[in-house]
Structure formats: C-alpha cells, structure tokens
Amino acid sequence: MSNILIIIEHQNGILNPDSFGLLNAGIQLSRSIGADIHVSIIGQNLDTLSQEVSIKGVHTIHTTPANQPYNHDLYIPIITSLHAELNPIFTLSLHTSTGTDYAPAISSLLDIPLLPDITRFDYTEQIEAVCEMYSSKLCVKISSTSPAILTIRPGSWSNDHSPGDVIINPFVHVIDEKSFNFKVKKHEESPPGEIDISEADLLLSVGRGIGEESNLELIFSTAESIGATVSSSRPIVDRGWLPKDRQVGQSGKKVSPSIYLAVGISGAVQHLAGIKDSQVIISINKDPLAPIFDISHYGIVGDLFEILPALAKEFS
Ligand SMILES: Cc1cc2nc3c(=O)[nH]c(=O)nc-3n(C[C@H](O)[C@H](O)[C@H](O)COP(=O)(O)OP(=O)(O)OC[C@H]3O[C@@H](n4cnc5c(N)ncnc54)[C@H](O)[C@@H]3O)c2cc1C
C-alpha cells in the first residue's frame, strides 16, 4: 500500500480549521490511488490536536513534540525524515504563509515537483491538478509525476468530517536548535479593534478601486448615510489605510451581513472566501468582467465616484 503524507497546520496548538479541507483533499486522492493517509503534527498540544484530526479516512497520525512556535528550521528536518520513512507518493500542506514557507524547501531538498495553490485535481495514471492565477482570471492545469508535493488552497475542499479510528504514532526527532538559522520569539495577535465587522448587518466594503487613501472620506461619508460599517479588501489594509480588523477574506475576517456592498473590489478567491455567508451581495465595479459579479445578487457596472454620491444622496 502506498502512502500520502499530510502536514497539519496549527498556531501554538490551535488547529487551523482549513486543515479539515486539506485532509479531505488527501482522502479524495487516497481513494483514487488506494493509499493510506498519514498525518504529521509538529509542535505543542499534540493530544488535543490528534483527537481533533482523528477523522474517518486517516490511517496514522505521527506526533512530534516541539516546545516552540512554527519555525522553518524546525519543520524541514522533521518532515524530510518522516518523508524518508514513509516514502509517500504525495505530500500535502495548506497553501498558507506557513505551507508556502516550508513546502518549496522540502521540494528542493528532496528534488521532487511542487504543485502550488491547488484548487482541484483528478488522478488516473498520474495527477492532473488545477491552480488559479491572476486573481482567478486564469486556470492552469498541471500534470505531474509522483512523488510530488501539493499545497492546497484553503477553502477549496469541504471541511466536513466524521470521527475515525486512527493510530497515533509518536515520531521522535531530536531537535538541534543550535543548527537553526533564526528563532521565532513569539506570535502576537493584533489588538482587538473597536469595530467587529463580523457582527455588522450592513457592510460597505472598499477595495483597491478607490485609488487613493484620501478617497476613504467618500467611503465613510456614504457608509454613514446608509448606516453601514466600513470593511475592506486586503490591499487597503496592506497599505495601512485601514486597520487589519476591517479586512474581509481568507486572511481577514469571515462576515455574514444581510447586505454586503462591495465597492471597487475585483472578487479574488481569497476575498470571496470571507463573504460567502452574506445574504445579499451587491457590487459596484467599472469592469463588467470583474469576478465579483459572478457571485453578486445585484451588480452595478460603473464608476464608484459617481455611484456612491448618488447613493448617499438617495438616503439623506
Ligand atoms: C495567501 C493570500 C491571502 C489573501 N487574503 C486575502 C484576504 O483575506 N482578503 C482579500 O481581500 N484579499 C486577500 N488576498 C489578496 C487577493 O488575492 C487579491 O489580491 C485582493 O483581494 C485584491 O483586492 P481588490 O479587489 O481590492 O483589488 P483589485 O484586484 O486590484 O481590484 C480592484 C477593482 O476595482 C475596480 N475599479 C477600479 N477603479 C474603479 C472605479 N473608479 N469604480 C469602480 N470600480 C473600480 C477594478 O475594475 C478592479 O476590479 C490574499 C492573497 C493571498 C496570496
């Protein structure tokens, strides 16, 4: 029986819930190949994490204790030695800042192909995987020989799971901290902001289409007129125009308002991951082909600088 190795993601012992989607991607692959699913968990809180990911379809969980947060130099030797022991046909991790940190290094060290940011795949005689590029404007199909490493885009597989009967195997690895090139001292959570966008009933969300920071004035005045809370896409936060707690999406907050009004937002998959539970999505974008329109209930093709003042006037 061949093996599939899956690296579970957690932060200081708290499971990243997208790990279940990652496991389901591996389980789908194992059914096509007839492989056993082996899971690696490295770090702290291993008993709880093992219990959480003991789901149907998983064969063995390999636990390696380490009394410190994620570190590239910690993960690489553990994963490569587990890889040498299991000789997996495929190794899967999440396509997150952590997964994209260690997976390319493993691929390079073991000299096996890396298939990044995968959203779906088929397996017949070899794997045919799909990744999306340029804010999902382009789908690229990649076929690869095995063994290979896949990083799986969070949210691409369902997180549904049911409890299973799983073997727990302590995978002991002597950690030589002296060989580490750098140390992660601590992870700091952003301080909680005054606004909780996940509680808002009406969100006016602004994206890069706003052009300049000074144009936020129009956004806030329109939001006030219509009684909305202001949220944003990631580039607005990355530029420091709004605080992180206003960011919607995969690496921001998931929201579920009655109305989500997206203004100058293209609709990249990482943004859409945060707005799927909105009851009604209304979008304003000057590009009629913007992907945000594909999931909008109502769409206005036009210039936000003309439409927002007209909207505010209507409500004042
Ligand atoms: C690991 C990872 C995590 C990520 N997490 C997130 C996340 O949590 N949230 C998130 O949002 N993104 C996230 N991203 C980034 C994401 O891929 C996109 O780059 C981002 O969502 C694009 O933001 P945007 O739509 O504001 O900008 P753009 O894609 O640049 O779109 C701007 C839109 O504005 C429109 N526009 C321009 N001018 C006007 C005008 N005058 N009137 C009307 N429309 C106009 C344009 O037609 C365009 O569609 C993540 C990316 C990665 C790799």
Side-chain angles (χ1 to χ4, degrees):
M1 182 70 107
S2 48
N3 296 323
I4 291 174
L5 173 61
I6 299 179
I7 318 297
I8 288 301
E9 182 158 322
H10 65 95
Q11 196 168 21
N12 297 332
I14 312 280
L15 184 71
N16 176 340
D18 288 321
S19 294
F20 291 115
L22 173 69
L23 286 166
N24 282 331
I27 290 166
Q28 182 198 324
L29 198 49
S30 74
R31 287 194 185 121
S32 314
I33 302 170
D36 281 338
I37 297 283
H38 289 257
V39 166
S40 165
I41 316 177
I42 302 165
Q44 306 152 25
N45 204 16
L46 295 176
D47 288 346
T48 308
L49 289 168
S50 302
Q51 266 177 21
E52 284 180 273
V53 299
S54 286
I55 66 168
K56 209 168 166 188
V58 172
H59 185 274
T60 304
I61 296 173
H62 304 269
T63 54
T64 309
N67 196 20
Q68 53 180 298
Y70 171 78
N71 185 332
H72 180 94
D73 292 332
L74 169 71
Y75 269 49
I76 301 291
I78 296 171
I79 297 171
T80 47
S81 52
L82 188 56
H83 196 282
E85 191 168 307
L86 297 172
N87 198 18
I89 184 161
F90 292 110
T91 301
L92 274 63
S93 70
L94 277 173
H95 192 84
T96 54
S97 51
T98 309
T100 54
D101 179 54
Y102 66 77
I106 305 275
S107 155
S108 162
L109 279 169
L110 301 180
D111 196 21
I112 55 179
L114 173 70
L115 284 65
D117 203 11
I118 300 305
T119 54
R120 57 184 192 275
F121 52 65
D122 282 320
Y123 184 92
T124 41
E125 285 182 3
Q126 61 176 12
I127 193 156
E128 277 212 343
V130 173
C131 69
E132 294 174 5
M133 298 175 84
Y134 303 114
S135 301
S136 305
K137 289 187 180 76
L138 206 66
C139 281
V140 181
K141 203 175 244 184
I142 323 166
S143 56
S144 169
T145 53
S146 48
I149 300 179
L150 281 71
T151 59
I152 300 293
R153 179 180 286 187
S156 302
W157 270 262
S158 146
N159 281 346
D160 292 350
H161 57 278
S162 49
D165 193 11
V166 178
I167 301 165
I168 310 286
N169 172 46
F171 181 72
V172 180
H173 184 90
V174 180
I175 296 161
D176 177 14
E177 287 193 34
K178 285 194 201 101
S179 68
F180 286 12
N181 289 314
F182 63 91
K183 284 203 171 92
V184 180
K185 288 193 173 164
K186 64 173 176 175
H187 285 172
E188 251 178 49
E189 291 286 326
S190 316
E194 288 164 17
I195 304 283
D196 184 359
I197 56 168
S198 61
E199 295 288 320
D201 193 49
L202 171 56
L203 279 173
L204 193 169
S205 210
V206 57
R208 193 148 42 191
I210 187 128
E212 287 176 18
E213 185 177 12
S214 57
N215 292 328
L216 277 176
E217 214 177 300
L218 170 67
I219 299 296
F220 277 96
S221 65
T222 310
E224 200 180 334
S225 309
I226 64 174
T229 301
V230 174
S231 56
S232 80
S233 67
R234 177 163 155 175
I236 302 298
V237 172
D238 285 349
R239 288 173 188 193
W241 296 355
L242 284 176
K244 172 84 180 158
D245 60 353
R246 301 256 187 179
Q247 182 189 320
V248 175
Q250 179 188 310
S251 51
K253 285 195 174 168
K254 294 194 170 49
V255 296
S256 50
S258 300
I259 298 177
Y260 187 79
L261 176 55
V263 176
I265 292 178
S266 60
V269 69
Q270 294 90 353
H271 188 81
L272 303 187
I275 65 172
K276 282 179 190 155
D277 292 335
S278 305
Q279 279 173 38
V280 176
I281 298 172
I282 306 171
S283 302
I284 302 171
N285 198 302
K286 66 179 184 185
D287 175 5
L289 298 178
I292 190 86
F293 288 132
D294 296 342
I295 62 137
S296 298
H297 300 88
Y298 302 96
I300 304 167
V301 178
D303 188 337
L304 70 91
F305 297 107
E306 289 170 15
I307 295 161
L308 288 186
L311 186 68
K313 196 171 161 203
E314 199 62 35
F315 278 79
S316 57

